[in-house]
C-alpha cells in the first residue's frame, strides 16, 4: 500500500482536457511571459477574492518582498512575524535589511495576538500574520493594534486561498496580501508563481513596477526593480484551476470533518477552527507527544506524512545573531516537537482516509 502525502497527478487527471487546451493555447500564441493570460488571471483572481488590485508575480516569496519594498521597509526597521511559518515570511524581512521580530503562536498555530503589543517598538513598521495551514489568524484584533500604532498589515495567504473570517476572505482584510501558487498549495501553478492583492492603488502600482524592472512603460526605468513576472503557462493553468477551487476547498473541508469524526477517540490533539473562521485545510495537522513513533508506524505501512515545521523560525541558524530567548516562544518550541501533517488533498479517497485513521486509533 502507498498513500501519498499529496498527489498532483490525480488533480490533473480530473481537469486534463481543460488544462491541456489552456497550455496548448499558450504555446500556439507564444505567450510565454506576461501577456493576455496573466492579465486575465489577475482579473479572475481579483474577482474571486474580492480585491481591487491583483498583481501577478514569479512566486510567493517575491510577493512578500515586493510588498515590503512598496511599504518602504528597509534597514533599521522591524516587522512582526509569527514564530512558526515557512521561512519566507521572516526571510523577506531580513533580506530587505530589516529585522524580523518573532511572536509566539497560540493553539490555532497562528500568531498569538495577545503577545504582539509587547513587541512593538518605535522601529516597528508592520505585522505579517500568516494564515498557517489554512486557518485564518485572528485579524480583527491585529487590525486594531495596527491602527493604534500606525503599522501596515501584510497577510501571508500562501496556505489559505479561500479561508474566511466572518464570511470575508483572508487577503482582503489587511492593507495588502501575498499569495503563493507553488504547485502543492491549495491553488497551484505548474511551477513557481505568486501574486499580491490590495485595495491600495499606490501599493499595487509600486509592486507592478518593481516586478518589471521598475518600468511603468517600456524602456522607462523609474527605479531599479527586478524580474518577478508570471509565466503565461502558469497564468493559463491558474485560471482553469480557479474555476474549480471552491469545490476543491469544500472537498478538503469534508475530508477534515471525516478525520475529526474518525479520530475523536484517538490520543491526539486535532486542529481547532474558531467559530467565526473558515479553515481551508491546506494541511491537516495533529499533535501528539508520541509524534515520532506515530510517524514511523505510518511510514512502515506506506502512509506518507510531513512536519510543518520542525523548527520555530527564531531558532533557525540564520537568526542566531538575533539572540532569541527560548522562553518567549514556548508554544512554538513545544508544538514543533509534537505536530504531524497527515495526508489531505481534494482527491484523497475516503477509503484511504479510513486506512490512515485506523492506523492512528
Ligand atoms: C509557500 C509559502 C510561502 C512562499 O511561497 P513560494 O511561492 O514558495 O515562494 C510564503 N509563506 C508561506 C506561509 C508559505 O507556505
Amino acid at each position: 500500500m502507498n498513500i501519498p502525502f499529496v498527489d498532483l497527478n490525480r488533480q490533473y487527471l480530473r481537469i486534463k482536457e481543460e488544462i491541456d487546451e489552456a497550455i496548448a493555447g499558450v504555446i500556439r500564441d507564444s505567450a510565454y511571459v506576461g501577456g493576455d493570460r496573466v492579465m486575465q488571471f489577475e482579473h479572475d483572481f481579483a474577482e474571486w477574492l474580492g480585491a481591487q488590485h491583483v498583481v501577478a508575480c514569479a512566486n510567493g516569496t517575491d510577493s512578500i518582498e515586493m510588498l515590503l519594498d512598496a511599504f518602504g521597509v528597509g534597514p533599521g526597521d522591524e516587522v512582526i512575524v509569527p514564530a512558526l511559518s515557512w521561512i519566507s515570511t521572516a526571510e523577506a524581512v531580513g533580506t530587505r535589511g530589516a529585522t524580523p521580530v518573532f511572536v509566539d503562536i497560540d493553539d490555532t498555530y497562528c500568531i498569538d495576538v495577545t503577545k504582539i503589543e509587547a513587541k512593538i517598538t518605535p522601529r516597528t513598521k508592520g505585522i505579517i500574520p500568516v494564515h498557517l495551514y489554512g486557518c485564518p489568524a485572528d485579524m480583527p484584533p491585529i487590525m486594531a493594534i495596527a491602527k493604534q500604532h500606525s503599522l501596515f498589515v501584510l497577510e501571508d495567504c500562501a496556505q489559505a486561498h479561500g479561508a474566511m473570517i466572518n464570511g470575508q476572505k483572508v487577503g482582503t482584510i489587511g492593507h495588502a496580501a501575498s499569495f503563493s501558487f507553488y504547485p502543492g498549495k491549495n491553488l497551484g501553478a505548474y511551477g513557481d508563481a505568486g501574486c499580491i492583492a490590495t485595495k491600495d492603488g499606490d501599493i499595487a502600482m509600486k509592486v507592478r513596477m518593481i516586478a518589471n524592472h521598475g518600468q511603468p512603460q517600456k524602456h522607462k526605468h523609474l527605479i531599479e526593480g527586478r524580474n518577478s513576472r508570471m509565466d503565461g503557462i502558469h497564468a493559463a493553468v491558474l485560471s482553469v484551476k480557479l474555476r474549480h477551487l471552491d469545490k476543491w476547498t469544500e472537498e478538503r473541508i469534508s475530508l477534515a470533518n471525516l478525520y475529526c469524526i474518525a479520530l475523536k477517540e484517538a490520543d491526539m490533539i486535532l486542529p481547532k477552527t474558531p467559530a467565526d473562521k473558515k479553515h481551508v485545510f491546506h494541511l491537516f495537522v495533529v499533535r501528539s507527544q508520541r509524534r515520532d513513533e506515530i510517524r514511523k508506524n505510518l511510514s512502515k505501512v506506506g502512509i506518507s506524512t510531513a512536519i510543518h515545521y520542525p523548527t520555530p523560525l527564531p531558532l533557525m541558524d540564520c537568526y542566531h545573531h538575533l539572540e532569541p530567548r527560548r522562553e518567549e516562544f514556548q508554544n512554538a518550541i513545544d508544538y514543533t516537537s509534537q505536530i504531524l501533517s497527515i495526508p489531505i488533498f481534494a482527491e484523497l479517497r475516503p477509503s484511504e482516509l479510513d486506512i490512515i485513521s485506523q492506523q492512528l486509533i
Side-chain angles (χ1 to χ4, degrees):
M1 185 182 64
N2 175 32
I3 302 179
F5 186 67
V6 59
D7 185 345
L8 295 176
N9 192 244
R10 290 189 199 174
Q11 187 196 57
Y12 167 61
L13 294 177
R14 292 175 89 175
I15 52 170
K16 182 175 185 311
E17 268 181 38
E18 284 174 272
I19 290 282
D20 290 355
E21 195 182 298
I23 292 176
V26 173
I27 298 169
R28 187 184 58 230
D29 298 347
S30 303
Y32 295 117
V33 178
D36 287 1
R37 270 81 175 176
V38 173
M39 279 168 59
Q40 183 66 47
F41 174 67
E42 287 178 342
H43 172 86
D44 295 346
F45 196 72
E47 194 168 86
W48 171 84
L49 184 63
Q52 277 86 340
H53 307 277
V54 165
V55 180
C57 66
N59 59 69
T61 307
D62 281 7
S63 67
I64 307 174
E65 290 182 1
M66 294 190 294
L67 279 172
L68 292 174
D69 285 339
F71 281 120
V73 170
D77 294 337
E78 295 176 355
V79 177
I80 290 174
V81 301
L84 187 66
S85 183
W86 173 240
I87 183 73
S88 303
T89 314
E91 182 185 47
V93 176
T95 54
R96 307 302 92 207
T99 304
V101 174
F102 300 100
V103 169
D104 204 5
I105 53 170
D106 64 21
D107 64 356
T108 66
Y109 305 106
C110 294
I111 193 165
D112 184 339
V113 296
T114 66
K115 295 181 181 160
I116 292 176
E117 279 197 289
K119 298 277 187 159
I120 294 174
T121 75
R123 295 168 181 269
T124 310
K125 285 283 151 57
I127 308 172
I128 312 182
V130 180
H131 308 303
L132 201 69
Y133 308 154
C135 180
D138 201 10
M139 292 301 293
I142 293 172
M143 295 311 294
I145 292 168
K147 189 166 183 192
Q148 197 182 340
H149 298 270
S150 303
L151 309 176
F152 68 78
V153 177
L154 192 179
E155 296 178 73
D156 182 338
C157 300
Q159 304 189 1
H161 317 71
M164 293 188 198
I165 302 178
N166 291 319
Q168 185 178 359
K169 283 200 174 107
V170 301
T172 63
I173 304 168
H175 301 103
S178 60
F179 284 87
S180 167
F181 304 119
Y182 178 78
K185 301 283 159 97
N186 286 24
L187 178 61
Y190 282 180
D192 277 312
C195 79
I196 68 104
T198 180
K199 41 184 161 284
D200 184 331
D202 184 49
I203 292 290
M205 189 197 66
K206 281 182 179 150
V207 170
R208 192 175 290 287
M209 202 160 72
I210 294 166
N212 193 23
H213 299 294
Q215 301 180 96
Q217 64 199 68
K218 206 172 170 87
H219 299 307
K220 180 179 164 79
H221 301 271
L222 276 187
I223 53 167
E224 284 182 323
R226 59 201 284 176
N227 173 359
S228 183
R229 297 175 299 230
M230 185 186 278
D231 294 340
I233 283 184
H234 301 320
V237 165
L238 287 167
S239 279
V240 168
K241 286 197 186 185
L242 184 60
R243 301 201 283 267
H244 301 277
L245 180 61
D246 290 338
K247 180 178 71 208
W248 294 341
T249 298
E250 293 313 314
E251 289 170 350
R252 281 179 185 272
I253 293 170
S254 298
L255 291 164
N257 289 336
L258 287 178
Y259 266 136
C260 287
I261 294 165
L263 299 177
K264 208 164 46 190
E265 305 294 326
D267 182 22
M268 53 182 54
I269 296 167
L270 302 176
K272 282 201 177 69
T273 310
D276 57 339
K277 307 210 165 68
K278 177 175 177 173
H279 191 317
V280 293
F281 293 99
H282 173 58
L283 298 170
F284 192 91
V285 176
V286 298
R287 211 159 84 227
S288 166
Q289 309 271 4
R290 296 169 38 242
R291 191 265 312 274
D292 294 331
E293 181 195 331
I294 293 171
R295 186 164 198 224
K296 207 180 293 163
N297 290 339
L298 290 174
S299 162
K300 266 190 218 145
V301 295
I303 298 168
S304 303
T305 60
I307 298 172
H308 301 90
Y309 298 89
T311 309
L313 291 174
L315 303 188
M316 295 284 185
D317 292 340
C318 56
Y319 297 122
H320 193 69
H321 64 284
L322 297 177
E323 300 177 8
R325 289 152 36 108
R326 297 178 64 94
E327 62 275 18
E328 292 184 2
F329 314 110
Q330 205 51 59
N331 285 339
I333 291 171
D334 291 347
Y335 293 169
T336 46
S337 68
Q338 300 169 7
I339 49 180
L340 182 66
S341 309
I342 60 177
I344 192 162
F345 52 99
E347 298 77 21
L348 181 72
R349 299 171 191 124
S351 60
E352 292 172 318
L353 186 144
D354 281 343
I355 295 169
I356 298 165
S357 303
Q358 274 158 25
Q359 293 294 327
L360 290 172
I361 49 180

